[in-house]
Amino acid sequence: MKATTKPTALVTGGSRGIGAATSRELAARGYRVAVNYHSNREAADQVVKRIEADGGEALAVQADVHDPRQAAELLERATVDGRLDVLVCNAGARFTPTPISRLTWDDFNAKVTGELASAHTLTQRTLPIMEAQGGGRIVYVSSAVADGPPTVGMAAHGTAKAALNTFARFVAYEAGPLGVNVNVVAPGFVRTEASAGMPLQFQRRLAEGTPLGRVAEPEDVARAIAMLVGEDAAFITGSVVTVDGGHGVARP
Ligand SMILES: NC(=O)c1ccc[n+]([C@@H]2O[C@H](COP(=O)([O-])OP(=O)(O)OC[C@H]3O[C@@H](n4cnc5c(N)ncnc54)[C@H](OP(=O)(O)O)[C@@H]3O)[C@@H](O)[C@H]2O)c1
C-alpha cells in the first residue's frame, strides 16, 4: 500500500456482504482500507470506487485467505510503511448446510481448517506489526450459531465458528500485553448474497421471533465492528458481541 496519514485497516472478504459494509464503514470513519477478495474482482472494485466517491481511501487486494502463503502475502500488501491498525477477519466461504449423516470428512475438514488457517496466519503475522507500533485491534467475524442451539446441517459451520471463538480468547490473552484488543462479533442471520437462498418465509419467522423486530443488514454488523475498533472500546477485549437483534434471548 502507498504511504498515507490515515490509520490502516484490512478487511478480509471485504468485497461483499458484511465485509463490504465494514470496508465502507471503516473508510467513512477515516481508515484507509485494504479490501480483500477471493475471486470476484469486480465486486471489490465497486466497493473501492464507492469509498473513493465518498472521499475515502481504499484498494482491492486479491488473496485466498485459506492458503497460509497467500494470507501472509496479503498482509504485506495491506500494510502501509509496516503499519496495520485494524484487522477484520471476516472472509467466509459459502457452504451448503449438510446433516452429519452426509457430511464427509473432507468437507468437514475443509470448513474447519479453512476458517482456522486464515485466522491463524493473519493473527500470527499481525501481532508483531501491532506490537512494534504500540497496539492495534483485531475483530473476528464468527456466528451466533457457534453458541446457539444446534440446527440440522450446521455442524461444520458451527464447529468452525466455535473454534474461532475459542482461538480469539487465547489471542486476546496473549495480545493484551502488546496493546492489542481482540474481539469477536457473532451475527445471527444477516441479509447478504450468502444467505439470500433462505426462503422469505423463514426470514419472516426469524424477524417475528426477534425482539428488535427484523433480521440484520450487513451495516448492523459493520457498525458493531467499527465500535469494537474505536476508542470507546479501548478496555474491551476477549468479548463476543452478538449482533442478532435479541433473537438469542428470545429462544425458548
Ligand atoms: N450472512 C449471514 O447470515 C452470516 C451470519 C453469521 C455469520 N456470518 C459470517 O460473516 C462472514 C461474511 O459473510 P457474508 O454473508 O457477508 O458472505 P458473502 O456475502 O458470501 O461474502 C463473502 C466474502 O468473503 C470473500 N471470500 C470468500 N472466501 C474467501 C477466501 N478463501 N479468501 C478471501 N476472501 C474470501 C468473498 O470474496 P469473493 O466474492 O471474491 O469470493 C466475499 O468478499 C462470514 O465469515 C460468515 O460466516 C454470516
Side-chain angles (χ1 to χ4, degrees), residues 95 97-101 103 108 111-112 145 150-162:
F95 66 97
T98 309
I100 292 166
S101 56
L103 182 62
F108 183 75
K111 182 78 192 145
V112 176
V145 92
T151 49
V152 173
M154 300 299 276
H157 185 65
T159 302
K161 293 300 193 183

mmCIF file of all heavy atoms in Angstrom, residues 95 97-101 103 108 111-112 145 150-162:
data_model
loop_
_atom_site.group_PDB
_atom_site.id
_atom_site.type_symbol
_atom_site.label_atom_id
_atom_site.label_comp_id
_atom_site.label_asym_id
_atom_site.label_seq_id
_atom_site.Cartn_x
_atom_site.Cartn_y
_atom_site.Cartn_z
ATOM 1 N N PHE A 95 -21.283 -22.213 1.933
ATOM 2 C CA PHE A 95 -21.345 -23.652 2.178
ATOM 3 C C PHE A 95 -22.784 -24.115 2.058
ATOM 4 O O PHE A 95 -23.710 -23.318 2.184
ATOM 5 C CB PHE A 95 -20.790 -23.994 3.570
ATOM 6 C CG PHE A 95 -21.630 -23.436 4.683
ATOM 7 C CD1 PHE A 95 -22.578 -24.220 5.335
ATOM 8 C CD2 PHE A 95 -21.499 -22.111 5.063
ATOM 9 C CE1 PHE A 95 -23.368 -23.694 6.348
ATOM 10 C CE2 PHE A 95 -22.295 -21.570 6.071
ATOM 11 C CZ PHE A 95 -23.219 -22.364 6.713
ATOM 12 N N PRO A 97 -25.563 -26.264 3.805
ATOM 13 C CA PRO A 97 -25.871 -26.959 5.051
ATOM 14 C C PRO A 97 -26.060 -28.456 4.795
ATOM 15 O O PRO A 97 -26.807 -28.834 3.896
ATOM 16 C CB PRO A 97 -27.177 -26.304 5.516
ATOM 17 C CG PRO A 97 -27.166 -24.953 4.874
ATOM 18 C CD PRO A 97 -26.477 -25.144 3.546
ATOM 19 N N THR A 98 -25.337 -29.286 5.570
ATOM 20 C CA THR A 98 -25.345 -30.732 5.331
ATOM 21 C C THR A 98 -25.471 -31.472 6.658
ATOM 22 O O THR A 98 -24.659 -31.247 7.560
ATOM 23 C CB THR A 98 -24.014 -31.168 4.651
ATOM 24 O OG1 THR A 98 -23.783 -30.324 3.527
ATOM 25 C CG2 THR A 98 -24.056 -32.613 4.207
ATOM 26 N N PRO A 99 -26.476 -32.352 6.792
ATOM 27 C CA PRO A 99 -26.593 -33.128 8.032
ATOM 28 C C PRO A 99 -25.361 -34.020 8.236
ATOM 29 O O PRO A 99 -24.721 -34.420 7.254
ATOM 30 C CB PRO A 99 -27.838 -33.983 7.818
ATOM 31 C CG PRO A 99 -28.406 -33.615 6.507
ATOM 32 C CD PRO A 99 -27.483 -32.676 5.807
ATOM 33 N N ILE A 100 -25.050 -34.325 9.485
ATOM 34 C CA ILE A 100 -23.832 -35.091 9.802
ATOM 35 C C ILE A 100 -23.819 -36.438 9.063
ATOM 36 O O ILE A 100 -22.763 -36.903 8.629
ATOM 37 C CB ILE A 100 -23.717 -35.300 11.327
ATOM 38 C CG1 ILE A 100 -23.455 -33.939 11.996
ATOM 39 C CG2 ILE A 100 -22.580 -36.263 11.677
ATOM 40 C CD1 ILE A 100 -23.645 -33.910 13.488
ATOM 41 N N SER A 101 -24.994 -37.030 8.876
ATOM 42 C CA SER A 101 -25.044 -38.334 8.197
ATOM 43 C C SER A 101 -24.474 -38.256 6.780
ATOM 44 O O SER A 101 -24.022 -39.254 6.235
ATOM 45 C CB SER A 101 -26.484 -38.850 8.157
ATOM 46 O OG SER A 101 -27.304 -37.882 7.532
ATOM 47 N N LEU A 103 -22.263 -35.589 5.884
ATOM 48 C CA LEU A 103 -21.117 -34.674 5.915
ATOM 49 C C LEU A 103 -19.818 -35.472 5.809
ATOM 50 O O LEU A 103 -19.453 -36.203 6.729
ATOM 51 C CB LEU A 103 -21.151 -33.881 7.231
ATOM 52 C CG LEU A 103 -20.080 -32.828 7.460
ATOM 53 C CD1 LEU A 103 -20.152 -31.717 6.409
ATOM 54 C CD2 LEU A 103 -20.235 -32.224 8.862
ATOM 55 N N PHE A 108 -15.969 -31.483 6.084
ATOM 56 C CA PHE A 108 -15.880 -31.003 7.471
ATOM 57 C C PHE A 108 -14.488 -30.411 7.726
ATOM 58 O O PHE A 108 -14.339 -29.302 8.245
ATOM 59 C CB PHE A 108 -16.137 -32.184 8.417
ATOM 60 C CG PHE A 108 -16.142 -31.818 9.876
ATOM 61 C CD1 PHE A 108 -17.215 -31.152 10.436
ATOM 62 C CD2 PHE A 108 -15.075 -32.155 10.697
ATOM 63 C CE1 PHE A 108 -17.224 -30.812 11.782
ATOM 64 C CE2 PHE A 108 -15.071 -31.828 12.043
ATOM 65 C CZ PHE A 108 -16.152 -31.155 12.590
ATOM 66 N N LYS A 111 -13.900 -27.027 5.931
ATOM 67 C CA LYS A 111 -14.595 -25.901 6.571
ATOM 68 C C LYS A 111 -13.844 -25.448 7.832
ATOM 69 O O LYS A 111 -13.559 -24.266 8.012
ATOM 70 C CB LYS A 111 -16.028 -26.339 6.923
ATOM 71 C CG LYS A 111 -16.874 -25.275 7.547
ATOM 72 C CD LYS A 111 -17.390 -24.310 6.496
ATOM 73 C CE LYS A 111 -17.997 -23.086 7.146
ATOM 74 N NZ LYS A 111 -17.790 -21.862 6.402
ATOM 75 N N VAL A 112 -13.543 -26.415 8.695
ATOM 76 C CA VAL A 112 -12.909 -26.052 9.981
ATOM 77 C C VAL A 112 -11.480 -25.560 9.752
ATOM 78 O O VAL A 112 -11.059 -24.544 10.305
ATOM 79 C CB VAL A 112 -12.945 -27.260 10.949
ATOM 80 C CG1 VAL A 112 -12.202 -26.942 12.237
ATOM 81 C CG2 VAL A 112 -14.387 -27.650 11.265
ATOM 82 N N VAL A 145 -24.428 -19.025 15.629
ATOM 83 C CA VAL A 145 -24.667 -20.472 15.589
ATOM 84 C C VAL A 145 -23.620 -21.233 16.427
ATOM 85 O O VAL A 145 -23.895 -22.349 16.902
ATOM 86 C CB VAL A 145 -24.666 -20.948 14.110
ATOM 87 C CG1 VAL A 145 -23.328 -21.415 13.609
ATOM 88 C CG2 VAL A 145 -25.686 -22.025 13.879
ATOM 89 N N PRO A 150 -28.116 -26.176 18.497
ATOM 90 C CA PRO A 150 -27.754 -26.791 17.218
ATOM 91 C C PRO A 150 -28.936 -26.818 16.249
ATOM 92 O O PRO A 150 -30.084 -26.970 16.668
ATOM 93 C CB PRO A 150 -27.358 -28.215 17.608
ATOM 94 C CG PRO A 150 -27.099 -28.173 19.061
ATOM 95 C CD PRO A 150 -27.968 -27.094 19.628
ATOM 96 N N THR A 151 -28.637 -26.633 14.969
ATOM 97 C CA THR A 151 -29.657 -26.839 13.937
ATOM 98 C C THR A 151 -29.098 -27.819 12.908
ATOM 99 O O THR A 151 -27.888 -27.831 12.663
ATOM 100 C CB THR A 151 -30.062 -25.522 13.241
ATOM 101 O OG1 THR A 151 -28.874 -24.836 12.861
ATOM 102 C CG2 THR A 151 -30.893 -24.628 14.127
ATOM 103 N N VAL A 152 -29.979 -28.602 12.325
ATOM 104 C CA VAL A 152 -29.546 -29.645 11.387
ATOM 105 C C VAL A 152 -28.823 -29.003 10.199
ATOM 106 O O VAL A 152 -29.271 -28.004 9.635
ATOM 107 C CB VAL A 152 -30.764 -30.468 10.899
ATOM 108 C CG1 VAL A 152 -30.339 -31.445 9.793
ATOM 109 C CG2 VAL A 152 -31.368 -31.239 12.071
ATOM 110 N N GLY A 153 -27.665 -29.572 9.859
ATOM 111 C CA GLY A 153 -26.926 -29.106 8.688
ATOM 112 C C GLY A 153 -25.823 -28.119 9.000
ATOM 113 O O GLY A 153 -25.014 -27.784 8.131
ATOM 114 N N MET A 154 -25.775 -27.632 10.231
ATOM 115 C CA MET A 154 -24.835 -26.554 10.561
ATOM 116 C C MET A 154 -23.635 -27.026 11.376
ATOM 117 O O MET A 154 -22.890 -26.206 11.934
ATOM 118 C CB MET A 154 -25.566 -25.444 11.329
ATOM 119 C CG MET A 154 -26.704 -24.815 10.542
ATOM 120 S SD MET A 154 -26.117 -24.031 9.020
ATOM 121 C CE MET A 154 -25.598 -22.452 9.659
ATOM 122 N N ALA A 155 -23.404 -28.356 11.463
ATOM 123 C CA ALA A 155 -22.335 -28.877 12.335
ATOM 124 C C ALA A 155 -20.956 -28.364 11.933
ATOM 125 O O ALA A 155 -20.165 -27.954 12.794
ATOM 126 C CB ALA A 155 -22.350 -30.405 12.321
ATOM 127 N N ALA A 156 -20.648 -28.374 10.633
ATOM 128 C CA ALA A 156 -19.307 -27.955 10.207
ATOM 129 C C ALA A 156 -19.112 -26.465 10.449
ATOM 130 O O ALA A 156 -18.101 -26.035 11.029
ATOM 131 C CB ALA A 156 -19.104 -28.282 8.724
ATOM 132 N N HIS A 157 -20.085 -25.680 10.030
ATOM 133 C CA HIS A 157 -20.007 -24.225 10.192
ATOM 134 C C HIS A 157 -19.957 -23.855 11.681
ATOM 135 O O HIS A 157 -19.121 -23.043 12.110
ATOM 136 C CB HIS A 157 -21.229 -23.596 9.514
ATOM 137 C CG HIS A 157 -21.216 -22.108 9.500
ATOM 138 N ND1 HIS A 157 -20.284 -21.374 8.808
ATOM 139 C CD2 HIS A 157 -22.047 -21.209 10.098
ATOM 140 C CE1 HIS A 157 -20.526 -20.081 8.975
ATOM 141 N NE2 HIS A 157 -21.586 -19.955 9.744
ATOM 142 N N GLY A 158 -20.846 -24.474 12.472
ATOM 143 C CA GLY A 158 -20.903 -24.169 13.906
ATOM 144 C C GLY A 158 -19.622 -24.556 14.631
ATOM 145 O O GLY A 158 -19.129 -23.834 15.494
ATOM 146 N N THR A 159 -19.062 -25.714 14.248
ATOM 147 C CA THR A 159 -17.815 -26.164 14.878
ATOM 148 C C THR A 159 -16.671 -25.213 14.511
ATOM 149 O O THR A 159 -15.851 -24.836 15.373
ATOM 150 C CB THR A 159 -17.477 -27.600 14.433
ATOM 151 O OG1 THR A 159 -18.566 -28.454 14.778
ATOM 152 C CG2 THR A 159 -16.215 -28.107 15.099
ATOM 153 N N ALA A 160 -16.617 -24.805 13.247
ATOM 154 C CA ALA A 160 -15.559 -23.885 12.799
ATOM 155 C C ALA A 160 -15.645 -22.564 13.555
ATOM 156 O O ALA A 160 -14.629 -22.020 14.019
ATOM 157 C CB ALA A 160 -15.681 -23.649 11.299
ATOM 158 N N LYS A 161 -16.869 -22.043 13.695
ATOM 159 C CA LYS A 161 -17.031 -20.746 14.352
ATOM 160 C C LYS A 161 -16.795 -20.856 15.869
ATOM 161 O O LYS A 161 -16.272 -19.924 16.487
ATOM 162 C CB LYS A 161 -18.422 -20.168 14.062
ATOM 163 C CG LYS A 161 -18.640 -19.790 12.587
ATOM 164 C CD LYS A 161 -17.665 -18.735 12.090
ATOM 165 C CE LYS A 161 -18.094 -18.144 10.749
ATOM 166 N NZ LYS A 161 -17.130 -17.169 10.214
ATOM 167 N N ALA A 162 -17.180 -21.994 16.464
ATOM 168 C CA ALA A 162 -16.916 -22.181 17.901
ATOM 169 C C ALA A 162 -15.407 -22.237 18.141
ATOM 170 O O ALA A 162 -14.900 -21.676 19.118
ATOM 171 C CB ALA A 162 -17.592 -23.464 18.389
#
